[in-house]
DNA sequence: AATGAATGAGGTTTCATTCAT
DNA sequence: GATGAATGAAACCTCATTCAT
């Protein structure tokens, strides 16, 4: 009954998914989530749309698969960099170096993770937020390490806020650097680290109360 | 007091445009550019779509009108805040206070200006980038003011990069604060200012490229 | 409310309508019926749309007014030219000269009369067909004049057909001439007259089936 | 045993395109380009609009497919008819016969090719112009064949003009014949050929200067 | 496992035309 | 009498998604 010869393009499921995610990742990175249609993805992967839906269910889930690949890579890279630092005070600088280095080496992953055309709500936004917070947590952990243990609890919120701010600064600087190419990734990382470190170190040395502003009143 | 019911009477052109921009602004802020349809906007205003097109030409231009309102407001607020500062060292703090205060007072404007679902290219992206760079320029100008005049040219790129980074940190912190509500807007502004100031001051006082720095900052 | 839109009554608004028709005529000639919107017309005339509708009822009737101006002019020109011809054999040539001359002198009128974007059915198509047939009738009358009176009735259909064909040839040649400018209007008219005259004269001088074809034209 | 009901089953791409072009061709012929909507076409084919767009891209391209079918048929018919003529002097007559015969046999093709509601600019207009000029070229080639070789260059423009005029005459006569049905297609073709041939033959025998009226100068 | 064929639903935009002042 | 304001209806086109093989 079955006369069809198994074609060479028929791959085991796992392998084909792998291959599909790779191609989709590249396309999403190039065009952004909104602008890349499922037709485009299917054409880029070299399969038909129904297969995409068979494997991933819908566009959102396909993007999630790409996101996972990119996000896991970045988190692992940062975690390793921060973890290797012996001195907690150097953790931020190490993290920034790793961040800029990662983007420099894999701009597609950056594009997927920090795509600005992602749908507002939904699972993707959640997942992106998750990765962002894992990154922030790495920074936050390093910041907390610099505090004496008796002050950690009270400062927790501030530390979280600062880690978010550091991430935001890094993200914006990356975008600017990608757009203008005005300096090297390494220089950008050092510049930002130089600027952030004094303030972060001061916070860990003095009272965390925001109203008590170190350097708040400039003697002149 | 004016207790005007949303009447469906004929309004003068200027008035109806005003009202339309207000309604569209609110809707765009709530749903984002992509998710808000022209039908929705028309329904919110209480008119039909052709009127929208008669007045604004197309969706993009309608959004631009909303953007202008939001962006001009923010830029004006920041410019005023920074301009009022006598001491250049305090400009960043003043700007951050104004930024957080503005968002606190008009969250819709923030949402319109920093909507993440905007189309990638086109006039809107251009305009948004324009506002962002005007904001960054305000910061950059303040940073430059702290430098001795003989070093300004060489530091220009770094100052631009730092102003972008400061904007990014502020933007991220605003998002976090809006999401979590973990502290007041004022506290968030102070926290960020406290953290950034030492590093920014150091940069202007010390030398990435050492040279003799006379004691004071050159007054403008 | 006045419903009838006859344009030939003595109206107090005659002057205004005259002016309106002139402006609309120019616009229709420039852009064609389909591409000229009522908004455009109103702007070109310098009045508001409701006034247009007050005067002419709708777009179709407004165009009809323009059409009348153009068509009457062409018919009058051709009638005069043909009428002045003493020799019936010269009527076709005279008509062609007048036709090309008219178009050369008033291209807008040509454009309105022979616009190719007019709606297929409806009053306009009817009116255009009317003008075309009045033009053809002028030619037909001249052709008939060349026939001995006892053959006129039987040849009537053929004469009608030929007059249509002559009109078609002239129209196509005008379009080509307007498009290419490869020769003067006068030369084009002479060329066509030269080519048509022998055949037309033969038909009037000999049997209606000069080619001696078995399936030839059989008068009924 | 039912042979073949007009099933709505899934057709292979080529077959469905074929069927779609056929249905669209008929509809465009009946209503004209502007009045036939894509919804109408889809309904006529028995599919939904997206399929139409999937296969043809847009309305213009769908029309182009219909145009190609009609135009190629007419050009081929005329080329064959003219090519088979041994005597160049008979080429015009043969072409006219073929033209009227073609329209008689496929009025829809005529309607598609010579639709008067087509958009002014764009690819369709270009393509229609292309077909028109190919038809005119066939006539022009036949006219040139009748000229002695040493006069061909100087007469080129006139020959082009005359071929356009012949096409125009034929086109107008076809329209009239389709509208009135006053004679058979064959009779119309012969009538026009009879009328044109003497003039065309004279031109090839005498001087091409238009001002030099050939064929018996009429006394004035 | 994989596909070609097909669709539902909705989006932006346009235009002739009329209402209410 | 003339205007600015407003609309009904419909056109073209797109995209994520599924059906039948």
């Amino acid at each position: 009954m079955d006369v069809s010869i198994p074609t060479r393009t028929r791959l085991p499921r796992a392998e084909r998914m792998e291959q599909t995610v790779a191609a989709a990742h590249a396309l999403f990175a190039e065009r952004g989530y909104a602008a890349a249609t499922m037709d485009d993805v299917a054409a880029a992967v070299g399969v038909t749309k129904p297969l995409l839906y068979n494997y991933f269910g819908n566009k959102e889930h396909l993007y999630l698969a790409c996101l996972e690949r990119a996000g896991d890579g970045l988190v692992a890279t940062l975690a390793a960099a921060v973890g290797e630092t012996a001195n907690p005070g150097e953790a931020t600088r190490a993290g920034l170096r790793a961040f800029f280095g990662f983007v420099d080496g894999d701009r597609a992953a950056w594009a997927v993770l920090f795509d600005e055309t992602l749908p507002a709500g939904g699972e993707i936004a959640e997942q992106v937020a998750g990765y962002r917070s894992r990154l922030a947590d790495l920074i936050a952990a390093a910041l907390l390490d610099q505090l004496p243990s008796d002050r950690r609890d009270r400062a927790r919120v501030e530390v979280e806020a600062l880690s978010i701010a550091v991430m935001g600064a890094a993200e914006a600087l990356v975008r600017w650097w990608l757009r203008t190419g005005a300096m090297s990734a390494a220089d950008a990382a050092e510049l930002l680290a130089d600027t952030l470190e004094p303030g972060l170190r001061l916070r860990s040395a003095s009272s965390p109360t925001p109203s008590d502003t170190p350097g708040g009143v400039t003697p002149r």
Side-chain angles (χ1 to χ4, degrees), chain A:
Chain A
M1 299 294 279
D2 186 55
V3 284
S4 67
I5 308 164
T7 60
R8 251 173 263 157
T9 57
R10 263 172 132 95
L11 293 175
R13 188 182 176 96
E15 207 169 319
R16 174 125 284 176
M17 284 185 77
E18 174 65 24
Q19 180 183 322
T20 300
V21 169
H25 188 280
L27 196 76
F28 280 132
E30 190 190 323
R31 304 212 192 141
Y33 180 81
T37 73
M38 287 299 264
D39 264 310
D40 295 336
V41 173
V45 176
V47 299
T48 55
K49 273 187 294 178
L51 193 62
L52 256 40
Y53 282 91
N54 234 342
Y55 283 166
F56 299 95
N58 58 30
K59 190 184 183 183
E60 190 178 23
H61 280 66
L62 173 55
Y63 196 86
L64 283 173
C66 301
L67 199 59
E68 189 179 352
R69 163 182 289 217
D72 286 354
L74 177 53
V75 168
T77 300
L78 248 75
V82 172
E84 279 169 10
T85 314
N87 178 3
E90 280 293 301
T92 303
R93 182 178 302 270
L96 288 172
R97 276 181 186 149
F99 185 64
F100 277 83
F102 178 86
V103 175
D104 203 15
D106 187 354
R107 305 196 180 192
W110 155 267
V112 166
L113 257 171
F114 294 90
D115 182 12
E116 293 186 321
T117 72
L118 292 175
E123 229 169 314
I124 294 181
E126 221 166 277
Q127 203 69 15
V128 167
Y131 279 114
R132 273 199 166 105
S133 87
R134 283 170 68 185
L135 296 176
D137 285 351
L138 286 172
I139 300 174
L143 294 181
L144 278 179
D145 273 351
Q146 302 180 54
L147 293 178
S149 54
D150 62 325
R151 271 175 44 203
R152 287 185 189 168
D153 268 357
R154 285 160 70 204
R156 197 143 260 154
V157 172
E158 289 181 15
V159 161
E160 186 189 339
L162 284 180
S163 64
I164 293 281
V166 170
M167 274 294 305
E171 214 178 303
L173 196 56
V174 161
R175 274 191 225 285
W176 171 84
W177 155 61
L178 287 174
R179 201 170 60 237
T180 65
M183 56 176 68
S184 73
D187 283 352
E190 298 304 333
L191 175 64
L192 186 54
D194 288 347
T195 305
L196 290 173
E197 270 201 334
L200 295 175
R201 188 169 297 130
L202 265 178
R203 285 212 76 71
S204 62
S206 72
S207 156
T209 312
S211 51
D212 180 12
T213 55
V217 180
T218 338
R220 191 152 296 262

